[in-house]
């Protein structure tokens, strides 16, 4: 079916062309179906300044290299078209940013395509899934409150929320996103829905669709959904762990016949750990992210890897039957990360590890948060950056990641991070939550 017939069949009025900016705010401009012809291939214009906007307000970040002059074009990738089950009459398509007829150097989606092409040049394919946790909140007289008070995997949590969870699931399935598992998470009103892994670009696209869908369906149930990394100081944070596997000619390169992690995958892990303090400016990019990264909260606060270790930044989950292990999981990441940029940076770090044949050392088999500082030092398990300012400084020094982003994107991305850090570094959690709750 062609695009017009597909849209007419669903009675679509508006097609939203989406982009995800350097602050990981998902935005769209929509055109009416009557004007499909002029938008179908040329797309919709946006100011280049859109890639310089921090999360707080719509104003250009200082030092971004971008300003009010200049236009980029959001060109629909029609392969990503979906009618929106939660917004009848609207459809979504993801846009690629094009400038002067070429992929724009600041386009996050194009950045990921570039990284995947680099991996492909080494005959590596990457598959991925983002594993989202989110809170459902209800508007009460005292403001937004958790929609329930249940604990991890509580069947009461399931019974209280089945209607909204079923609708979210149906909406995801209607968009071709397979739902694998569901359970109430540890925080009050917190839930986790795991979706199937896929080729990396599709995984990033699905992450956009996932956030949009959860929020859109929740609204129809008079609920608000938030993926903000930390809403309540003493309750579980929202992680968005990234699951990754490396493939060659249809074969998963992670397991050995003996059931260990292959040398190639070990080097990939080592590359990620090596770059992790800098990587965090991309994977945990909000000042709020660092409130989540606390020892004993299973959020990846320590720079180490471990087999089935939920306190390690990088967990290697094992399977009871071969093949095992089939993937690795980065925990030091949350949904305030732009999925295209996060995947690009993680892949750049991992490939660097492969190229230099880095070794990650022995896996850590204890909770590093229980070790005295001296022993952690001896085992070379670092506490990761404790605020965004530190991560920004690491990223500024990281030639591998900056090269992966290329100069213009790196400059605008760092300027946006810096603007957010400057604006929010002294904020209370309450003020931060009020500002960010519905951005993510
Ligand atoms: N909520 C934890 C986090 O902040 C993750 C819990 C889990 O392992 O699923 O990452
Ligand atoms: Mg979880």
């Amino acid at each position: 079916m062609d695009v017009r017939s597909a849209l007419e069949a669903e009675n679509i009025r508006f097609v939203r062309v989406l982009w995800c900016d350097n602050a990981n705010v998902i935005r769209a401009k929509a055109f009416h179906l009557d004007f499909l012809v002029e938008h179908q291939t040329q797309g919709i214009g946006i100011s280049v300044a859109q890639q310089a906007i921090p999360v707080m307000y719509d104003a250009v970040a200082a030092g971004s290299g971008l300003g009010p002059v200049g236009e980029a074009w959001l060109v629909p990738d029609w392969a990503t078209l979906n009618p929106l089950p939660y917004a009848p009459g609207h459809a979504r398509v993801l846009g690629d940013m094009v400038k002067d007829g070429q992929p724009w150097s600041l386009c996050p989606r194009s950045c990921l395509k570039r990284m995947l092409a680099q991996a492909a040049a080494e005959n590596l394919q990457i598959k991925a899934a983002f594993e989202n946790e989110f809170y459902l909140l209800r508007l009460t007289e005292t403001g937004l409150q958790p929609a329930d008070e249940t604990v991890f995997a509580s069947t009461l949590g399931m019974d209280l929320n089945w209607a909204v969870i079923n609708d979210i699931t149906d909406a995801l399935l209607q968009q071709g996103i397979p739902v694998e598992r569901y359970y109430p998470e540890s925080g009050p009103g917190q839930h986790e829905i795991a979706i199937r892994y896929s080729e990396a670009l599709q995984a990033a696209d699905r992450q956009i669709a996932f956030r949009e869908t959860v929020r859109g369906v929740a609204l129809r149930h008079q609920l608000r959904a938030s993926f903000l990394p930390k809403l309540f100081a003493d309750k579980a944070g929202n992680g968005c762990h990234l699951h990754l596997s490396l493939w060659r000619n249809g074969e998963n390169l992670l397991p050995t016949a003996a059931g260990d992690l292959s040398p190639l995958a070990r080097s990939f892990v080592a590359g990620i750990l090596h770059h992790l303090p800098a990587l965090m400016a991309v994977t945990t990019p909000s000042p709020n992210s660092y409130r989540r990264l606390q020892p004993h909260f299973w959020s990846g606060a320590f720079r180490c890897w471990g087999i089935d270790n939920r306190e390690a930044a990088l967990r290697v989950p094992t399977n009871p039957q071969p093949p095992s292990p089939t993937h690795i999981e980065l925990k030091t990441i949350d949904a305030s990360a732009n999925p295209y940029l996060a995947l690009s940076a993680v892949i750049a770090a991992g490939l660097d590890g492969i190229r230099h044949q880095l070794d990650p050392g022995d896996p850590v088999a204890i909770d590093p948060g229980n070790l005295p500082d001296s022993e952690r030092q001896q085992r070379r398990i670092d506490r990761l950056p404790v605020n965004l300012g530190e991560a920004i400084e690491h990223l500024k020094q990281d030639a591998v990641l900056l090269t992966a982003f290329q100069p213009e994107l790196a400059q605008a991305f760092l300027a946006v991070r810096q603007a957010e850090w400057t604006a929010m570094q002294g904020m209370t959690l309450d003020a931060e939550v009020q500002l960010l709750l519905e951005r993510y």
Side-chain angles (χ1 to χ4, degrees), residues 83 88 95 103 168 215 234 406:
I168 291 170
R215 187 192 57 199
D234 56 345
Q406 295 188 348

Side-chain angles (χ1 to χ4, degrees), residues 128-132 168-169 172-173 176-182 192-198 202-211 243:
F130 290 91
E131 176 200 321
N132 285 281
I168 291 170
T169 302
L172 291 169
L173 292 174
I177 301 177
V179 172
E180 279 200 82
R181 272 182 293 280
Y182 155 66
E192 172 171 327
I193 297 176
I195 61 171
R196 189 71 176 161
Y197 68 90
S198 61
Q202 189 176 37
D205 289 344
R206 282 180 175 176
Q207 174 61 5
I208 302 292
F210 189 95
R211 278 173 64 201
H243 297 259

Side-chain angles (χ1 to χ4, degrees), residues 40-106:
Q40 190 163 354
T41 52
Q42 112 182 351
I44 294 192
I46 55 169
S47 163
V48 293
Q50 288 300 337
Q51 279 301 68
I53 308 290
V55 73
M56 300 82 69
Y57 38 65
D58 290 341
V60 172
S64 62
L66 300 169
V69 182
E71 201 74 356
W73 289 83
L74 273 179
V75 176
D77 177 347
W78 290 107
T80 66
L81 177 67
N82 269 303
L84 298 180
Y86 51 87
H90 284 222
R92 168 195 334 112
V93 68
L94 293 164
D96 284 317
M97 297 173 182
V98 171
K99 193 161 188 307
D100 306 321
Q102 300 294 325
W104 188 32
S105 55
L106 282 102

